[in-house]
């Protein structure tokens, strides 16, 4: 492996950051494929760049190479994920880089997909191309947490979203909950839905709120029509919705609805990955479902929108979770906090 000096390392990090910015443009539209960006540099000048916009369409490297044209020969390509080495719906990107005669390829991280998993790097090196792996890996992986986790563990990345008052309440005792948080917070939730392959809710939420759980925002930088609709799963163990007609609730009118009437949530998550390629899952449900996912340690990220209001002790709690000692408490690490409208948004990871 060649030695990288400080000047070269700084340049690699700079251009990889630009590749990460390219990848972000496909964040809401590439599912189930990962969001990938590519920047091609010749003599410290960008000659081509691109991102993967949608499954079935060309990958980031192909768009960047097309823009670079003959200037790709002898250039350095910066890619946020290992170039694919297999023929799927599109040809192998590693071979495209070889054919373009690039001199060097810098990769943020390897692709754990068994169809790639180091083969892309091997193909490049066999062609005499210098390869560097591990530049801004963390920044690149943030964009594809679900895809990467699913490839490694066959389980999706699970985000649990809760909207709550200052005293940790999500609805009045009657079930009234529209709206605790601000319009800005509800708009922000649209981003979570747009990057999710599936949304899980409970039959109680369906009956009480009759939600749509769709992506309808016009503030995503992409048209809502270009976002693959998330699959919706309704947890209905008691089969409460079995006795309702489809016209009763908006979600029940959907022909692609998944009803899960078993207790095993792990099996559900595995099924979503295996059968539906849902790698990012958002849980939008009541206290019972939220408590089940948390107590079974199935949540990768807890997102709390906290409104500056008090609902009182008789209002409904944010989580149905009843430890009998402090030793059983669930603790979290605060990853991020920001003000959204009048609310506080907390992003937490379980410890």
């Amino acid at each position: 492996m060649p030695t990288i000096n400080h000047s070269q390392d700084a340049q690699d990090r700079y251009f990889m950051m630009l590749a990460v910015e390219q990848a972000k443009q496909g964040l809401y539209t590439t599912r189930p494929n990962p969001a990938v960006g590519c920047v091609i540099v010749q003599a410290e000048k960008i000659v081509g760049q691109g991102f993967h916009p949608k499954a079935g369409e060309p990958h980031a490297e192909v768009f960047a190479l097309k823009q670079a044209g003959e200037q790709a020969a002898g250039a350095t390509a910066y890619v946020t994920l290992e170039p694919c080495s297999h023929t799927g719906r599109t040809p192998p990107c590693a071979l495209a880089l070889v054919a373009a005669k690039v001199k060097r390829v810098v990769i943020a991280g390897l692709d754990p997909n068994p169809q790639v998993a180091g083969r892309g790097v091997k193909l490049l090196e066999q062609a005499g191309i210098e390869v560097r792996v591990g530049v801004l890996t963390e920044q690149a992986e943030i964009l594809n947490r679900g895809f990467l986790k699913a490839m490694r563990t066959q389980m999706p990345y699970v985000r649990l979203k809760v909207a709550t008052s200052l005293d940790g309440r999500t609805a009045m005792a009657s079930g009234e909950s529209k709206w605790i948080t601000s319009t800005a917070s509800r708009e922000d939730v649209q981003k979570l839905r747009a990057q999710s392959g599936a949304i899980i809710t409970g039959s109680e939420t369906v009956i009480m709120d009759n939600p749509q759980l769709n992506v309808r925002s016009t503030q995503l930088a992409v048209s809502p029509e270009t976002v693959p609709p998330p699959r919706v799963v309704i947890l209905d163990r008691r089969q409460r919705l079995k006795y309702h007609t489809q016209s009763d609730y908006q979600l029940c009118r959907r022909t692609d609805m998944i009803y899960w009437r078993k207790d095993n949530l792990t099996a559900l998550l595995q099924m979503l990955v295996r059968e539906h390629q849902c790698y990012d899952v958002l849980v939008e449900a009541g206290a019972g479902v939220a408590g089940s996912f948390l107590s079974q340690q199935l949540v990768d990220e807890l997102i709390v929108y906290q409104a500056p209001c008090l609902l009182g002790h008789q209002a409904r709690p944010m989580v149905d979770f009843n430890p009998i000692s402090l030793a059983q408490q669930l603790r979290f690490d605060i990853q991020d906090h920001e003000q959204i409208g009048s609310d506080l948004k907390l992003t937490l990871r379980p410890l």
Side-chain angles (χ1 to χ4, degrees):
M1 181 178 294
T3 302
I4 304 295
N5 59 38
H6 291 299
S7 176
Q8 181 68 73
D9 182 62
Q11 181 173 302
D12 285 350
R13 292 173 64 84
Y14 171 74
F15 287 116
M16 185 60 77
M17 182 57 72
L18 296 182
V20 169
E21 291 303 312
Q22 283 289 313
K24 288 179 181 178
Q25 296 183 63
L27 185 62
Y28 301 131
T29 60
T30 61
R31 293 196 317 269
N33 289 358
V36 180
C38 178
V39 171
I40 297 177
V41 177
Q42 178 73 267
E44 301 185 18
K45 178 184 176 183
I46 295 174
V47 294
Q49 53 189 344
F51 67 97
H52 179 43
K54 185 178 179 181
E57 294 188 8
H59 290 185
E61 298 93 323
V62 174
F63 282 109
L65 288 170
K66 183 177 180 180
Q67 189 178 105
E70 294 182 355
Q71 296 182 85
T76 297
Y78 294 87
V79 192
T80 58
L81 188 67
E82 179 182 8
C84 61
S85 56
H86 64 288
T87 300
R89 297 167 69 177
T90 57
C93 291
L95 287 181
L97 291 167
V98 171
K101 299 180 180 179
V102 301
K103 180 180 179 180
R104 184 168 176 262
V105 177
V106 180
I107 302 168
L110 297 178
D111 188 343
N113 183 342
Q115 292 182 300
V116 185
R119 295 184 182 89
V121 168
K122 185 177 181 181
L123 196 155
L124 294 170
E125 291 178 334
Q126 287 176 340
I129 296 173
E130 178 188 328
V131 178
R132 183 187 182 192
V133 179
V135 177
L136 299 190
T137 306
E138 183 178 354
Q139 290 90 326
E141 289 203 346
I142 286 173
L143 302 180
N144 297 304
R145 283 173 172 154
F147 174 82
L148 295 172
K149 183 184 177 186
M151 292 301 112
R152 291 165 178 157
T153 68
Q154 289 71 59
M155 287 283 284
Y157 189 86
V158 178
R159 296 176 176 89
L160 170 61
K161 182 232 79 174
V162 180
T164 180
S165 62
L166 285 175
D167 48 351
R169 304 290 165 167
T170 60
M172 302 306 293
S174 64
E176 180 187 359
S177 62
K178 293 183 179 180
W179 299 101
I180 296 174
T181 53
S182 65
T183 301
S185 289
R186 298 196 296 277
E187 179 64 36
D188 195 67
V189 172
Q190 289 285 306
K191 298 176 184 177
L192 298 178
R193 291 181 184 174
Q195 61 183 299
S196 300
I199 299 174
I200 297 176
T201 193
S203 57
E204 177 75 9
T205 297
V206 174
I207 293 169
M208 295 300 299
D209 297 340
N210 192 18
Q212 297 182 68
L213 299 182
N214 60 354
V215 179
R216 53 187 180 271
S217 173
T218 57
Q219 301 179 32
L220 293 175
V222 296
S223 170
E225 290 76 23
T226 65
V227 178
R231 298 295 298 259
V232 176
V233 181
I234 299 177
L235 304 182
D236 191 24
R237 184 173 55 85
R238 291 177 288 172
Q239 302 190 35
R240 300 174 69 187
L241 296 175
K242 188 175 182 180
Y243 306 103
H244 292 266
T245 61
Q246 283 193 330
S247 61
D248 288 344
Y249 303 107
Q250 297 179 88
L251 289 178
C252 297
R253 299 171 200 156
R254 292 179 50 162
T255 57
D256 61 346
M257 184 57 52
I258 299 174
Y259 294 94
W260 188 259
R261 296 187 168 104
K262 303 175 185 178
D263 291 325
N264 195 330
L265 294 178
T266 298
L268 166 61
L269 295 175
Q270 291 172 333
M271 181 274 291
L272 287 173
V273 168
R274 182 180 63 252
E275 298 182 19
H276 300 285
Q277 292 76 55
C278 295
Y279 305 142
D280 289 90
V281 171
L282 177 64
V283 179
E284 289 195 65
V289 173
S292 294
F293 273 90
L294 285 168
S295 61
Q296 294 178 44
Q297 299 182 336
L298 296 173
V299 175
D300 296 291
E301 194 173 291
L302 172 61
I303 302 166
V304 179
Y305 296 89
Q306 190 171 44
C309 66
L310 298 171
L311 299 184
H313 74 281
Q314 292 186 339
R316 299 188 179 192
M318 62 181 285
V319 177
D320 186 359
F321 172 66
N322 298 297
I324 59 175
S325 69
L326 279 176
Q328 296 177 317
Q329 68 181 293
L330 297 177
R331 294 194 64 85
F332 300 85
D333 180 45
I334 298 176
Q335 298 290 303
D336 192 20
H337 58 89
E338 60 180 312
Q339 184 168 340
I340 303 288
S342 59
D343 307 322
L344 176 65
K345 178 186 178 182
L346 295 172
T347 301
L348 309 104
R349 298 273 184 81
L351 292 175

